[in-house]
Amino acid sequence: MPASSFTLLPSRLVGIEVVRADTARAFARHVHDQFGIGLIDRGAQKSASGRGMVEAGAGDLITVNPGEVHDGTPIGDHGRSWRMLYLDPERVFELAADVTGRAVSREVEFTRPTLKDTRLARRFEALFPALIAAPTAAPSMQAESALLMLLADLLSPRSGDAPIAAATITPARARLDDDPASEVDLATLAADAGLSRFQFLRAFSRATGLTPHAYLIQRRLQRARALIARGLPLADAAAASGFCDQSHLTRHFVRCFGLSPGAYARSVR
């Protein structure tokens, strides 16, 4: 298998991570706390998304929403390369309000996980280099403008969380979100929802795309990632996030993000 390459690049705009990747790795199902916009540069991949299984090839845009369960498997033997932007939700809400000229609902989303659109691909091509800069560089008007133009075409109002089950599991989901490092059992989570354990498992999986345990691992990964970015030692970040040890964190981190916690720490510093 060809060597994997993941590079976290400096960004001129606060609240945006810029990533360049080239790998034949298959990623397990996972989530991000951010919105993601990317462009496949070489090769192709198939992936689960909030709209089902999709495929994307060279020149296609890919998107993901915060909390949306997705994975990624290369098509062919030579992997694929892509560039990705991860945008903090608050940044997206601010920019969406700027695009519309009015306050917008926080429930906005990308509705197309893959896009074959030459015009939008060109906009991404203009945005990506405009974002990259030395850490001390001033914010770029070009980057701000290009980002606004791209988001204006990509964001759509959320169609609504129709299933009643989504609201039913909210208390249990909030417990996992608020304190992912704590140990909690299925019976307790089901009691929070007022459901039997079986009903809760089915409702939670339908609403989130993950089992409660898999969801908890994702929340722990997001906490560990944030703590590492702040400079906390890896072992301490693992313990504070609920992982039994650093190796446990590393195994899940690599499986979902493609690079080790140590490599991520070196990149953000």
PDB file of all heavy atoms in Angstrom, residues 151-169:
ATOM      1  N   LEU A 151     -19.874  29.080   0.076  1.00  0.00           N
ATOM      2  CA  LEU A 151     -20.926  28.711   1.009  1.00  0.00           C
ATOM      3  C   LEU A 151     -22.306  29.125   0.506  1.00  0.00           C
ATOM      4  O   LEU A 151     -23.300  28.438   0.757  1.00  0.00           O
ATOM      5  CB  LEU A 151     -20.666  29.345   2.378  1.00  0.00           C
ATOM      6  CG  LEU A 151     -19.551  28.715   3.213  1.00  0.00           C
ATOM      7  CD1 LEU A 151     -19.366  29.482   4.516  1.00  0.00           C
ATOM      8  CD2 LEU A 151     -19.836  27.255   3.511  1.00  0.00           C
ATOM      9  N   ALA A 152     -22.379  30.234  -0.201  1.00  0.00           N
ATOM     10  CA  ALA A 152     -23.669  30.688  -0.730  1.00  0.00           C
ATOM     11  C   ALA A 152     -24.284  29.652  -1.651  1.00  0.00           C
ATOM     12  O   ALA A 152     -25.509  29.521  -1.739  1.00  0.00           O
ATOM     13  CB  ALA A 152     -23.486  32.007  -1.479  1.00  0.00           C
ATOM     14  N   ASP A 153     -23.460  28.883  -2.344  1.00  0.00           N
ATOM     15  CA  ASP A 153     -23.953  27.859  -3.266  1.00  0.00           C
ATOM     16  C   ASP A 153     -24.182  26.506  -2.599  1.00  0.00           C
ATOM     17  O   ASP A 153     -24.930  25.671  -3.114  1.00  0.00           O
ATOM     18  CB  ASP A 153     -22.963  27.666  -4.424  1.00  0.00           C
ATOM     19  CG  ASP A 153     -23.031  28.803  -5.429  1.00  0.00           C
ATOM     20  OD1 ASP A 153     -24.129  29.350  -5.618  1.00  0.00           O
ATOM     21  OD2 ASP A 153     -21.987  29.122  -6.016  1.00  0.00           O
ATOM     22  N   LEU A 154     -23.532  26.284  -1.460  1.00  0.00           N
ATOM     23  CA  LEU A 154     -23.555  24.941  -0.875  1.00  0.00           C
ATOM     24  C   LEU A 154     -24.564  24.767   0.251  1.00  0.00           C
ATOM     25  O   LEU A 154     -25.120  23.675   0.424  1.00  0.00           O
ATOM     26  CB  LEU A 154     -22.167  24.588  -0.333  1.00  0.00           C
ATOM     27  CG  LEU A 154     -21.070  24.332  -1.372  1.00  0.00           C
ATOM     28  CD1 LEU A 154     -19.741  24.085  -0.669  1.00  0.00           C
ATOM     29  CD2 LEU A 154     -21.419  23.147  -2.250  1.00  0.00           C
ATOM     30  N   LEU A 155     -24.814  25.806   1.040  1.00  0.00           N
ATOM     31  CA  LEU A 155     -25.654  25.656   2.221  1.00  0.00           C
ATOM     32  C   LEU A 155     -27.131  25.729   1.872  1.00  0.00           C
ATOM     33  O   LEU A 155     -27.556  26.564   1.084  1.00  0.00           O
ATOM     34  CB  LEU A 155     -25.333  26.742   3.253  1.00  0.00           C
ATOM     35  CG  LEU A 155     -24.044  26.534   4.056  1.00  0.00           C
ATOM     36  CD1 LEU A 155     -23.759  27.760   4.896  1.00  0.00           C
ATOM     37  CD2 LEU A 155     -24.158  25.303   4.949  1.00  0.00           C
ATOM     38  N   SER A 156     -27.906  24.843   2.494  1.00  0.00           N
ATOM     39  CA  SER A 156     -29.357  24.834   2.316  1.00  0.00           C
ATOM     40  C   SER A 156     -30.003  24.688   3.678  1.00  0.00           C
ATOM     41  O   SER A 156     -29.421  24.098   4.596  1.00  0.00           O
ATOM     42  CB  SER A 156     -29.789  23.664   1.426  1.00  0.00           C
ATOM     43  OG  SER A 156     -29.189  23.755   0.157  1.00  0.00           O
ATOM     44  N   PRO A 157     -31.231  25.202   3.862  1.00  0.00           N
ATOM     45  CA  PRO A 157     -31.931  25.004   5.139  1.00  0.00           C
ATOM     46  C   PRO A 157     -32.149  23.520   5.388  1.00  0.00           C
ATOM     47  O   PRO A 157     -32.417  22.761   4.465  1.00  0.00           O
ATOM     48  CB  PRO A 157     -33.269  25.723   4.938  1.00  0.00           C
ATOM     49  CG  PRO A 157     -33.034  26.653   3.794  1.00  0.00           C
ATOM     50  CD  PRO A 157     -32.011  25.977   2.910  1.00  0.00           C
ATOM     51  N   ARG A 158     -32.026  23.112   6.623  1.00  0.00           N
ATOM     52  CA  ARG A 158     -32.277  21.720   6.990  1.00  0.00           C
ATOM     53  C   ARG A 158     -33.750  21.405   6.810  1.00  0.00           C
ATOM     54  O   ARG A 158     -34.620  22.198   7.147  1.00  0.00           O
ATOM     55  CB  ARG A 158     -31.847  21.458   8.434  1.00  0.00           C
ATOM     56  CG  ARG A 158     -31.861  19.992   8.824  1.00  0.00           C
ATOM     57  CD  ARG A 158     -31.410  19.810  10.262  1.00  0.00           C
ATOM     58  NE  ARG A 158     -30.020  20.196  10.445  1.00  0.00           N
ATOM     59  CZ  ARG A 158     -28.998  19.382  10.254  1.00  0.00           C
ATOM     60  NH1 ARG A 158     -29.210  18.145   9.842  1.00  0.00           N
ATOM     61  NH2 ARG A 158     -27.767  19.806  10.458  1.00  0.00           N
ATOM     62  N   SER A 159     -34.050  20.244   6.285  1.00  0.00           N
ATOM     63  CA  SER A 159     -35.429  19.882   5.964  1.00  0.00           C
ATOM     64  C   SER A 159     -36.251  19.517   7.199  1.00  0.00           C
ATOM     65  O   SER A 159     -37.451  19.389   7.132  1.00  0.00           O
ATOM     66  CB  SER A 159     -35.443  18.693   4.990  1.00  0.00           C
ATOM     67  OG  SER A 159     -34.764  17.584   5.552  1.00  0.00           O
ATOM     68  N   GLY A 160     -35.602  19.368   8.337  1.00  0.00           N
ATOM     69  CA  GLY A 160     -36.356  19.082   9.565  1.00  0.00           C
ATOM     70  C   GLY A 160     -36.108  17.669  10.051  1.00  0.00           C
ATOM     71  O   GLY A 160     -36.004  16.747   9.272  1.00  0.00           O
ATOM     72  N   ASP A 161     -35.977  17.527  11.358  1.00  0.00           N
ATOM     73  CA  ASP A 161     -35.761  16.209  11.948  1.00  0.00           C
ATOM     74  C   ASP A 161     -37.115  15.563  12.206  1.00  0.00           C
ATOM     75  O   ASP A 161     -37.712  15.725  13.266  1.00  0.00           O
ATOM     76  CB  ASP A 161     -34.961  16.332  13.256  1.00  0.00           C
ATOM     77  CG  ASP A 161     -33.552  16.836  12.999  1.00  0.00           C
ATOM     78  OD1 ASP A 161     -33.001  16.484  11.940  1.00  0.00           O
ATOM     79  OD2 ASP A 161     -33.026  17.556  13.841  1.00  0.00           O
ATOM     80  N   ALA A 162     -37.615  14.857  11.228  1.00  0.00           N
ATOM     81  CA  ALA A 162     -38.975  14.342  11.309  1.00  0.00           C
ATOM     82  C   ALA A 162     -39.186  13.258  12.366  1.00  0.00           C
ATOM     83  O   ALA A 162     -40.169  13.304  13.082  1.00  0.00           O
ATOM     84  CB  ALA A 162     -39.408  13.825   9.934  1.00  0.00           C
ATOM     85  N   PRO A 163     -38.289  12.259  12.472  1.00  0.00           N
ATOM     86  CA  PRO A 163     -38.605  11.147  13.381  1.00  0.00           C
ATOM     87  C   PRO A 163     -38.742  11.607  14.829  1.00  0.00           C
ATOM     88  O   PRO A 163     -37.906  12.335  15.347  1.00  0.00           O
ATOM     89  CB  PRO A 163     -37.412  10.210  13.218  1.00  0.00           C
ATOM     90  CG  PRO A 163     -36.816  10.570  11.907  1.00  0.00           C
ATOM     91  CD  PRO A 163     -37.042  12.045  11.754  1.00  0.00           C
ATOM     92  N   ILE A 164     -39.798  11.169  15.475  1.00  0.00           N
ATOM     93  CA  ILE A 164     -39.998  11.501  16.882  1.00  0.00           C
ATOM     94  C   ILE A 164     -38.853  10.959  17.720  1.00  0.00           C
ATOM     95  O   ILE A 164     -38.456  11.553  18.708  1.00  0.00           O
ATOM     96  CB  ILE A 164     -41.351  10.924  17.371  1.00  0.00           C
ATOM     97  CG1 ILE A 164     -42.491  11.596  16.614  1.00  0.00           C
ATOM     98  CG2 ILE A 164     -41.514  11.108  18.873  1.00  0.00           C
ATOM     99  CD1 ILE A 164     -43.869  11.043  16.925  1.00  0.00           C
ATOM    100  N   ALA A 165     -38.293   9.841  17.297  1.00  0.00           N
ATOM    101  CA  ALA A 165     -37.218   9.204  18.055  1.00  0.00           C
ATOM    102  C   ALA A 165     -36.029  10.134  18.246  1.00  0.00           C
ATOM    103  O   ALA A 165     -35.327  10.044  19.240  1.00  0.00           O
ATOM    104  CB  ALA A 165     -36.762   7.925  17.357  1.00  0.00           C
ATOM    105  N   ALA A 166     -35.784  11.025  17.315  1.00  0.00           N
ATOM    106  CA  ALA A 166     -34.645  11.930  17.422  1.00  0.00           C
ATOM    107  C   ALA A 166     -34.757  12.798  18.665  1.00  0.00           C
ATOM    108  O   ALA A 166     -33.776  13.048  19.367  1.00  0.00           O
ATOM    109  CB  ALA A 166     -34.544  12.796  16.166  1.00  0.00           C
ATOM    110  N   ALA A 167     -35.967  13.288  18.957  1.00  0.00           N
ATOM    111  CA  ALA A 167     -36.171  14.092  20.158  1.00  0.00           C
ATOM    112  C   ALA A 167     -36.153  13.228  21.414  1.00  0.00           C
ATOM    113  O   ALA A 167     -35.697  13.657  22.475  1.00  0.00           O
ATOM    114  CB  ALA A 167     -37.495  14.846  20.058  1.00  0.00           C
ATOM    115  N   THR A 168     -36.607  11.997  21.282  1.00  0.00           N
ATOM    116  CA  THR A 168     -36.687  11.104  22.440  1.00  0.00           C
ATOM    117  C   THR A 168     -35.317  10.816  23.029  1.00  0.00           C
ATOM    118  O   THR A 168     -35.167  10.708  24.251  1.00  0.00           O
ATOM    119  CB  THR A 168     -37.353   9.768  22.041  1.00  0.00           C
ATOM    120  OG1 THR A 168     -38.633  10.043  21.475  1.00  0.00           O
ATOM    121  CG2 THR A 168     -37.520   8.862  23.240  1.00  0.00           C
ATOM    122  N   ILE A 169     -34.303  10.690  22.183  1.00  0.00           N
ATOM    123  CA  ILE A 169     -32.981  10.333  22.695  1.00  0.00           C
ATOM    124  C   ILE A 169     -32.153  11.569  23.069  1.00  0.00           C
ATOM    125  O   ILE A 169     -30.998  11.443  23.466  1.00  0.00           O
ATOM    126  CB  ILE A 169     -32.214   9.451  21.681  1.00  0.00           C
ATOM    127  CG1 ILE A 169     -32.024  10.157  20.336  1.00  0.00           C
ATOM    128  CG2 ILE A 169     -32.927   8.123  21.487  1.00  0.00           C
ATOM    129  CD1 ILE A 169     -30.729  10.854  20.156  1.00  0.00           C
TER     130      ILE A 169
END
